[in-house]
């Protein structure tokens, strides 16, 4: 298939069809991504104000075989929001479509346009005395359309699931410019193929999500947070089992933190208050959301006492106030920023069967040690098996001096992930960064089916070319 650039002649046709005020020059922010691994290009940035304008733009692109790059908050970490090679695309940003269309508290449903910032969705739910539980470090800038397009995870997946699990219906523009009006609020609709779940996680390669019907939940009556130092990852997993035995599915988050993460915070963000006077090698952040009649601090004290009897914890801190609870979460949520300031040789977003995570960590550290004195910050969502397994140069050295090790590190980590029946992308997606790894480790039947779906829905190949599947 042959694509054409979003050149001046094409942009003139766009302006005549959709009117003034939609197209703008591509500011640098539309051509960048957080880790600086990719630089984008664009003939222009289109900022539609309605689903009809999105449809008109996509229809024009399809008629002219011009590639489209959908753009949300720009916070993706695998390069899906920027296209740096090949034919110059039209970037379509949903930032003007940010309305909260409807809230139905009695149904636990909220309808939001794709450009709504995640924090705004959370706030709208809170105003209705409900909870929208998707929670990410980038929630002040990421947009709900991008969250769904990448099937975002975050810290509450253990209890509430990924973005996919929080969505009832979608409104979307397909590659031919047609609007799919699938903004359903139904919990049950067994009428054939689930187009919603086809578009969620497709990273804009099968269409553009323009609005979503989202699940809300009752707000927990009592919330409690604790940090517990543990001697090993294996002990952390046993502590997770104890916690679930005590409170069942009321565990909202169970986050693993490695000493390297605390060291990185001390090195780059000394203003973040460190919880322990002496940094432990491993600790976990436990967050509970309990119902009426349960006292979070008492429950956390019981969990700590049980774990202490079994030599699974070394120390523990239970938040005594909302302020202290915020301090604990600030440590966890600041680690990704500290990581970025240190500069990783390679960042890995992986998932491993929970019962095998401890083995993976031990074997991975041993294998990487053969490459030199590299630092490893393994942290993340232990409760759902998702580790951010990031590799850094020795203290005081620059990651660029270790670029020659990137392929070796990648081979070691991805090879072990495959050995342990894990996934090379747990929550960040494939984007442009991991298409090669998907080709190498993906199931061939699944990949062939994905290509057939792409060809059927997007025969001209205009939708985010090079994302998920290689062009």
């Amino acid at each position: 298939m042959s694509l054409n650039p979003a050149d001046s002649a094409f942009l003139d046709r766009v302006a005549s069809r959709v009117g003034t005020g939609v197209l703008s020059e591509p500011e640098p922010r539309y051509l960048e991504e957080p880790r600086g691994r990719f630089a984008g290009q664009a003939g222009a940035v289109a900022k539609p104000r309605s689903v009809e304008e999105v449809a008109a733009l996509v229809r024009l692109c399809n008629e002219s075989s011009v590639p489209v790059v959908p753009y949300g908050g720009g916070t993706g970490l695998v390069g899906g929001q920027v296209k740096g090679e090949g034919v110059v695309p039209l970037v379509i940003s949903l930032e003007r479509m940010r309305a909260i269309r409807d809230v139905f508290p009695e149904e636990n449903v909220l309808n939001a346009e794709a450009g709504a910032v995640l924090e705004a969705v959370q706030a709208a739910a809170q105003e209705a005395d409900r909870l929208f539980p998707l929670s990410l470090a980038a929630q002040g800038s990421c947009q709900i359309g991008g969250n769904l397009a990448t099937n975002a995870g975050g810290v509450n997946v253990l209890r509430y699931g990924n973005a996919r699990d929080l969505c009832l219906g979608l409104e979307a523009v397909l590659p031919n410019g047609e609007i799919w009006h699938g903004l359903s609020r139904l919990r049950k609709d067994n009428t054939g193929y689930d187009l919603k779940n086809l578009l969620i996680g497709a990273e804009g390669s099968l269409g553009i999500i323009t609005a979503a019907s989202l699940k809300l939940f009752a707000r927990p009556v009592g919330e409690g947070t604790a940090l517990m130092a543990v001697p090993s990852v294996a002990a952390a997993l046993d502590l997770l089992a104890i916690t679930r035995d005590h409170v069942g599915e009321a565990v909202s988050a169970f986050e693993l933190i490695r000493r390297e993460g605390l060291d990185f915070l001390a090195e780059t963000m000394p203003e973040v208050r460190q919880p322990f006077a002496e940094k432990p090698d491993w600790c976990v952040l436990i967050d509970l959301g309990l119902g009426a009649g349960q006292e979070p601090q008492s429950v956390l004290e019981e969990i700590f006492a049980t774990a202490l009897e079994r030599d699974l914890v070394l120390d523990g801190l239970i938040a005594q106030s909302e302020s202290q609870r915020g301090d604990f979460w600030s440590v966890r949520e600041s680690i990704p920023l500290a990581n970025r300031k240190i500069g990783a040789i390679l960042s890995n977003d992986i998932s491993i069967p929970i019962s095998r995570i401890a083995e993976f960590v031990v074997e991975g550290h041993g294998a990487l040690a053969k490459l030199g004195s590299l630092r490893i910050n393994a942290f993340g969502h232990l409760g759902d098996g998702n580790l951010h397994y990031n590799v850094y140069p020795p203290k005081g050295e620059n990651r660029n001096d270790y670029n020659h090790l990137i392929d070796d590190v990648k081979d070691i980590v991805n090879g072990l992930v495959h050995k342990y029946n894990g996934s090379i992308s747990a929550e960040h997606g494939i984007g442009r960064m991991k298409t090669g790894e998907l080709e190498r480790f993906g199931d061939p039947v699944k990949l062939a089916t994905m290509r057939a779906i792409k060809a059927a829905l997007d025969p001209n190949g205009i939708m985010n070319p090079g994302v998920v599947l290689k062009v």
Side-chain angles (χ1 to χ4, degrees):
M1 69 194 78
S2 177
L3 296 175
N4 300 311
D7 57 18
S8 57
F10 171 75
L11 296 176
D12 287 343
R13 291 199 298 277
V14 171
S16 66
R17 185 82 65 91
V18 300
T20 60
V22 173
L23 295 180
S24 63
E25 290 293 322
E27 302 169 35
R29 66 188 177 97
Y30 297 106
L31 309 178
E32 301 168 344
E33 50 85 28
R35 288 179 174 162
R37 298 285 189 183
F38 297 88
Q41 57 177 340
V45 175
K47 301 176 184 178
R49 294 155 291 199
S50 66
V51 63
E52 290 78 16
E53 287 188 348
V54 177
L57 289 164
V58 173
R59 194 175 303 116
L60 277 165
C61 289
N62 193 51
E63 291 169 358
S64 303
S65 295
V66 170
V68 173
V69 174
Y71 189 91
T75 62
L77 297 175
V78 289
Q81 70 273 48
V82 290
K83 180 180 183 297
E85 298 180 352
V87 179
V88 176
L90 178 71
V91 171
I92 299 181
S93 169
L94 279 295
E95 63 195 75
R96 287 181 174 174
M97 297 177 59
R98 55 178 58 202
I100 305 297
R101 291 185 182 174
D102 298 289
V103 183
F104 304 92
E106 67 280 8
E107 298 180 20
N108 281 329
V109 175
L110 179 152
N111 288 345
E113 291 184 337
V117 172
L118 177 53
E119 269 189 355
V121 175
Q122 295 168 339
Q126 186 169 353
E127 286 178 12
D129 194 30
R130 295 293 185 270
L131 172 71
F132 183 64
L134 186 64
S135 182
L136 313 171
Q139 61 196 31
S141 54
C142 64
Q143 297 172 8
I144 195 64
N147 297 149
L148 291 164
T150 57
N151 190 28
V155 297
N156 290 330
V157 171
L158 174 62
R159 182 170 186 173
Y160 298 102
N162 291 300
R164 184 188 306 280
D165 303 300
L166 302 174
C167 183
L168 293 169
L170 293 177
E171 173 190 271
V173 174
L174 300 181
N176 62 1
E178 291 185 345
I179 301 171
W180 173 46
H181 298 282
L183 205 61
S184 171
R185 308 199 309 268
L186 301 178
R187 307 277 170 156
K188 290 184 175 180
D189 182 1
N190 205 4
T191 54
Y193 301 148
D194 193 338
L195 300 186
K196 162 179 63 72
N197 276 327
L198 190 60
L199 290 173
I200 294 174
E203 302 184 47
S205 65
L206 299 177
I208 299 179
I209 295 169
T210 55
S213 182
L214 304 169
K215 293 181 186 178
L216 304 181
F217 297 82
R219 300 188 67 79
V221 175
E223 295 177 300
T225 303
L227 276 165
M228 298 189 189
V230 294
S232 64
V233 177
L237 290 168
D238 288 340
L239 178 59
L240 172 62
I242 289 172
T243 304
R244 280 179 154 163
D245 286 345
H246 275 73
V247 298
E249 298 307 308
V251 189
S252 298
F254 196 93
E255 297 289 301
L256 181 70
I257 298 173
R258 182 169 163 83
R259 177 172 181 147
E260 275 74 6
L262 301 177
D263 287 341
F264 289 176
L265 281 176
E267 186 176 337
T268 65
M269 302 174 67
E271 69 276 9
V272 176
R273 185 179 302 174
Q274 293 274 354
F276 295 104
E278 184 175 340
K279 301 185 192 75
D281 287 339
W282 297 98
C283 62
V284 293
L285 185 150
I286 305 172
D287 200 74
L288 307 180
L290 303 176
Q294 294 178 294
E295 212 290 310
Q297 288 193 13
S298 298
V299 172
L300 287 167
E301 288 170 2
E302 291 173 8
I303 291 169
F304 179 79
T306 302
L308 190 63
E309 287 178 2
R310 302 181 190 178
D311 296 323
L312 298 176
V313 293
L314 305 172
D315 196 0
L317 299 167
I318 297 173
Q320 302 299 309
S321 65
E322 277 301 307
S323 175
Q324 191 175 27
R325 187 167 178 254
D327 287 344
F328 288 0
W329 270 108
S330 178
V331 170
R332 168 60 184 87
E333 292 173 345
S334 297
I335 288 174
L337 181 56
N339 287 345
R340 207 168 298 153
K341 290 184 176 184
I342 294 292
I345 299 170
L346 187 70
S347 298
N348 301 281
D349 163 50
I350 60 175
S351 60
I352 303 291
I354 293 174
S355 64
R356 305 203 69 189
I357 289 176
E359 298 173 68
F360 171 87
V361 169
V362 171
E363 188 169 354
H365 285 29
L368 290 168
K370 296 176 183 177
L371 298 179
S373 301
L374 304 177
R375 293 184 290 176
I376 301 168
N377 190 12
F379 71 103
H381 320 305
L382 188 66
D384 56 52
N386 177 193
L387 285 184
H388 300 300
Y389 194 82
N390 302 343
V391 182
Y392 299 83
K395 185 174 181 178
E397 299 190 32
N398 190 287
R399 73 177 185 186
N400 294 329
D401 296 330
Y402 288 80
N403 285 341
H404 62 286
L405 291 182
I406 289 177
D407 288 341
D408 291 334
V409 172
K410 189 182 297 184
D411 287 345
I412 288 171
V413 175
N414 288 340
L416 284 175
V417 168
H418 186 65
K419 171 184 174 180
Y420 283 88
N421 298 313
S423 171
I424 60 168
S425 180
E427 63 178 357
H428 292 167
I430 296 298
R432 291 179 170 83
M433 181 181 290
K434 296 187 176 183
T435 55
E437 287 93 328
L438 182 61
E439 292 283 336
R440 178 180 174 187
F441 294 105
D443 180 87
V445 173
K446 177 182 177 180
L447 289 171
T449 304
M450 288 168 61
R451 291 190 191 97
I453 292 169
K454 172 72 171 173
L457 292 182
D458 184 20
N460 292 327
I462 67 165
M463 294 306 305
N464 221 2
V467 161
V468 181
L469 295 170
K470 284 189 171 182
V471 176

